[in-house]
Amino acid sequence: MKNLNEISTRLEIAKKKIKKNQIKDNGTNAASLGKALKISTELVASVVVGSTIGFLLDNWFDTKPLLTICFFILGVVAGILNVIRSAKKMHKINKYRKR
Amino acid sequence: MSLNPMHQFEVYRLGPEINLGSINLSFTNASLFMTISASVILFFLFIGTKKKSLIPSKIQLVSEMSYSFVAKMINDTAGSSAKPFFPFIFTLFMFVLFCNMVGMLPYSFTVTSHIIVTFVLASIVFVGVTIIGFIKHGLKYLELFVPKGVPVILLPLIVIIEIISYLSRPVSLSVRLFANMMAGHTMLKVFGGFVISLGLLGGWLPLGFSVALTGLEILVAFLQAYVFAILTCIYLNDALNLHH
């Protein structure tokens, strides 16, 4: 029991220290690096998927460059949409945290 | 040959060749390192949870922290309705994390630096989430592709764009993990090669760089496992709670 009492006093001291110093978020740097990597790949992936779908449909319908070009553009649009969406999501989370 | 930065990614067969029909099922170094990572996880969690003391030992503390970390992540991003999927996400997170970390050891092989491995993991998530969505909402799940408040003339275009953006999820998930791991390990090897070719006089600067890059690479290894797990949670959230 003595051991437990000692730990509880230590815990209280540690809690007081935390309140005094208001320890900063040290995870923010790593988290923002993660977000940057996330957004960059999102843009590329939809372009690749769009062009691949276009290429496959082209092979199917024998309309060589036409559908690839159309779906490439659609892929770019989808990529930009994805980026905007995830940026909005991050914004929401940040707002929620600040409150 | 050993200075070639891409040489570390070579997959080769260990032991006899096993063919099942047209599928090559031989045991490779990739399978060996997957087995090693899985057994390290099992061993670590077994030791960590064996002696449940009120005042935890260091290893018990780490295993409890990994549990609460993933539990908090699921709760924050997908809500309490995603609780039943905790085992899957925990397994996924630990597997990716330990594959990345085992790959940081010298002379080891990084399983996650191969796109087929990460793509299979991402496809499991993608197919699973789609099935969960259809089970939970039935055909209403297709409303995910039809955003509200769009003029009817634009609708066919928007639906195609939404489908492309939905299909791009596994690609972006797998390419992110694969590209980060491969680029980091290639860079480490290139700087290691500089140390040897510049010799005792000029080799110190690249040596310093490799030390710094190793630290960065460990950060990236953790971060990518985290991002993989958190995106799985976000996709799960989309499937469980159907609204944008």
Side-chain angles (χ1 to χ4, degrees), chain A residues 4-52:
Chain A
L4 275 178
N5 277 335
E6 199 187 306
I7 280 177
S8 67
T9 48
R10 269 174 159 182
L11 258 176
E12 266 174 28
I13 292 167
K15 273 181 189 167
K16 272 178 193 167
K17 270 186 188 167
I18 287 174
K19 271 185 187 169
K20 266 184 194 168
N21 294 355
Q22 282 292 340
I23 293 173
K24 280 179 191 170
D25 270 299
N26 46 6
T28 42
N29 251 340
S32 47
L33 185 63
K35 280 173 197 167
L37 294 171
K38 186 182 155 226
I39 285 195
S40 57
T41 41
E42 226 148 67
L43 184 61
V44 177
S46 352
V47 177
V48 170
V49 169
S51 318
T52 314

Side-chain angles (χ1 to χ4, degrees), chain A residues 4 7 30 34 37-38 41 45-46 49 53 71 74 77-78 81-82 85 89, chain B residues 54-55 157 160-162 164-165 167-168 171-172 176 180 219 223-224 231 234:
Chain A
L4 275 178
I7 280 177
L37 294 171
K38 186 182 155 226
T41 41
S46 352
V49 169
I53 291 173
F71 273 84
L74 287 177
V77 173
L81 193 73
N82 272 347
R85 253 184 211 157
K89 210 171 259 173
Chain B
L54 188 58
I55 302 156
L157 204 64
I160 293 175
I161 288 171
E162 288 286 340
I164 291 176
S165 111
L167 289 177
S168 76
V171 177
S172 78
R176 184 178 308 122
N180 274 294
L219 172 73
L223 210 66
Q224 287 307 318
L231 281 177
I234 288 173

Side-chain angles (χ1 to χ4, degrees), chain B residues 197-233:
Chain B
S197 55
L198 289 176
L200 206 58
L201 277 175
W204 296 100
L205 188 67
L207 185 68
F209 268 115
S210 342
V211 172
L213 277 177
T214 308
L216 181 75
E217 209 39 42
I218 287 173
L219 172 73
V220 168
F222 173 75
L223 210 66
Q224 287 307 318
Y226 173 68
V227 168
F228 203 93
I230 209 164
L231 281 177
T232 308
C233 291

Side-chain angles (χ1 to χ4, degrees), chain B residues 140-157:
Chain B
K140 254 189 156 185
Y141 187 59
L142 291 176
E143 274 178 19
L144 195 70
F145 301 121
V146 188
K148 277 169 197 160
V150 177
V152 185
I153 311 161
L154 278 177
L155 211 57
L157 204 64

Side-chain angles (χ1 to χ4, degrees), chain B residues 122-195:
Chain B
S123 315
I124 293 170
V125 171
F126 177 72
V127 173
V129 162
T130 311
I131 290 172
I132 289 166
F134 274 115
I135 287 175
K136 184 116 186 178
H137 301 283
L139 282 176
K140 254 189 156 185
Y141 187 59
L142 291 176
E143 274 178 19
L144 195 70
F145 301 121
V146 188
K148 277 169 197 160
V150 177
V152 185
I153 311 161
L154 278 177
L155 211 57
L157 204 64
I158 295 286
V159 168
I160 293 175
I161 288 171
E162 288 286 340
I163 289 174
I164 291 176
S165 111
Y166 190 73
L167 289 177
S168 76
R169 280 172 173 189
V171 177
S172 78
L173 201 57
S174 57
V175 165
R176 184 178 308 122
L177 180 58
F178 142 79
N180 274 294
M181 295 323 288
M182 199 185 80
H185 282 264
T186 310
M187 206 144 77
L188 272 180
K189 189 80 184 215
V190 166
F191 276 98
F194 281 162
V195 176

